[in-house]
Amino acid sequence: MARVIRRSFLEEVSERLPVSATTLVAIVVGAVSLYIFYRRKGPVHRPSTSARRPLSSPRNAGEASDVMTRIKNKAFIGKKICIAWEVLHDDKGWKAQGKALDILRFYAFSSEVYLMCRIYGADDKKKIIDLVKAVDGIERHRILFCTTEKGYEAFTRQIDPSLLVTNNAAQVAFLKRVIHTLVLVGGDGVVARNVACVPSVEAIAVDLE
């Protein structure tokens, strides 16, 4: 009767694989050690997503205050401000019975103003430059031109101003998640703690006294 010789699992595997028994034992021991290590460490606990700041929430406690109060208190003096050309001027001239020009002069003199202008040709560009070239504080490289509404969004995201003044509700609804403070002129369809809706650009005029 033939005698059956039982062989260990390691011996069987070592013959089938091109590695020595010593190497195989080292691999098995290493794998077991890693398994025990991760079992003791336990699962990784990630912070709750509810603790993260919503994109539309203010970036600091000061921004929770009323937007118009901050404007009247000159909170944006010395800060970056993006203003859409359409809130200041139209085919009839400077808006708010001409007061829009004075408002532009104040912010251009006291802050870092970027004037965003949508144009349809070279004539529009020349006309705007001629209108604002006498405004102190308006630097040529801060007069920005584009041919589509998307250009305003791109300018604003790149500049990251402390204040955006525009008349486009869709832009405000989109940018309120990333911009500190926004003023929507001539609209009331956007509700957020960092958005003020006003009927005219005259609302952001600041008392110089």
Side-chain angles (χ1 to χ4, degrees):
M1 181 176 179
R3 182 181 177 185
V4 178
I5 300 176
R6 295 186 177 181
R7 307 174 67 188
S8 68
F9 173 74
L10 291 178
E11 289 176 334
E12 290 285 348
V13 174
S14 63
E15 282 191 2
R16 296 175 183 273
L17 297 176
V19 295
S20 65
T22 303
T23 303
L24 187 60
V25 169
I27 293 173
V28 173
V29 171
V32 172
S33 299
L34 284 174
Y35 173 76
I36 294 173
F37 171 77
Y38 283 109
R39 287 280 295 179
R40 289 180 177 177
K41 188 176 181 181
V44 177
H45 296 285
R46 299 182 182 276
S48 172
T49 55
S50 61
R52 299 174 185 172
R53 179 182 64 84
L55 288 175
S56 59
S57 66
R59 296 186 181 181
N60 55 56
E63 290 180 352
S65 62
D66 180 72
V67 172
M68 294 310 300
T69 299
R70 298 181 65 220
I71 289 175
K72 297 301 183 181
N73 289 339
K74 305 181 180 68
F76 298 99
I77 288 181
K79 304 293 183 63
K80 291 181 180 179
I81 300 176
C82 283
I83 304 178
W85 176 249
E86 291 79 9
V87 307
L88 299 169
H89 196 279
D90 59 18
D91 293 336
K92 299 177 182 179
W94 293 100
K95 291 188 174 182
Q97 294 80 46
K99 295 178 182 178
L101 177 57
D102 294 330
I103 293 170
L104 176 61
R105 284 173 173 160
F106 169 78
Y107 284 106
F109 179 77
S110 62
S111 304
E112 187 176 320
V113 167
Y114 293 82
L115 197 58
M116 304 185 300
C117 313
R118 183 182 179 185
I119 60 174
Y120 299 93
D123 291 342
D124 293 338
K125 182 176 181 179
K126 182 179 184 303
K127 178 182 177 181
I128 293 172
I129 292 176
D130 288 342
L131 284 169
V132 302
K133 64 182 180 182
V135 177
D136 290 338
I138 291 288
E139 299 186 20
R140 176 61 186 85
H141 68 276
R142 293 180 189 159
I143 306 175
L144 311 175
F145 297 97
C146 62
T147 57
T148 66
E149 292 182 353
K150 287 293 184 181
Y152 283 12
E153 294 179 6
F155 289 150
T156 305
R157 291 177 69 91
Q158 182 177 2
I159 296 167
D160 189 24
S162 297
L163 175 65
L164 168 65
V165 183
T166 183
N167 65 342
N168 190 305
Q171 289 173 0
V172 171
F174 175 72
L175 293 171
K176 70 180 182 179
R177 300 174 299 170
V178 293
I179 301 302
H180 290 243
T181 309
L182 307 91
V183 174
L184 175 60
V185 178
D188 57 2
V190 182
V191 178
R193 287 186 297 174
N194 60 333
V195 176
C197 299
V198 299
S200 167
V201 70
E202 187 177 359
I204 67 170
V206 176
D207 188 354
L208 299 180
E209 295 182 359

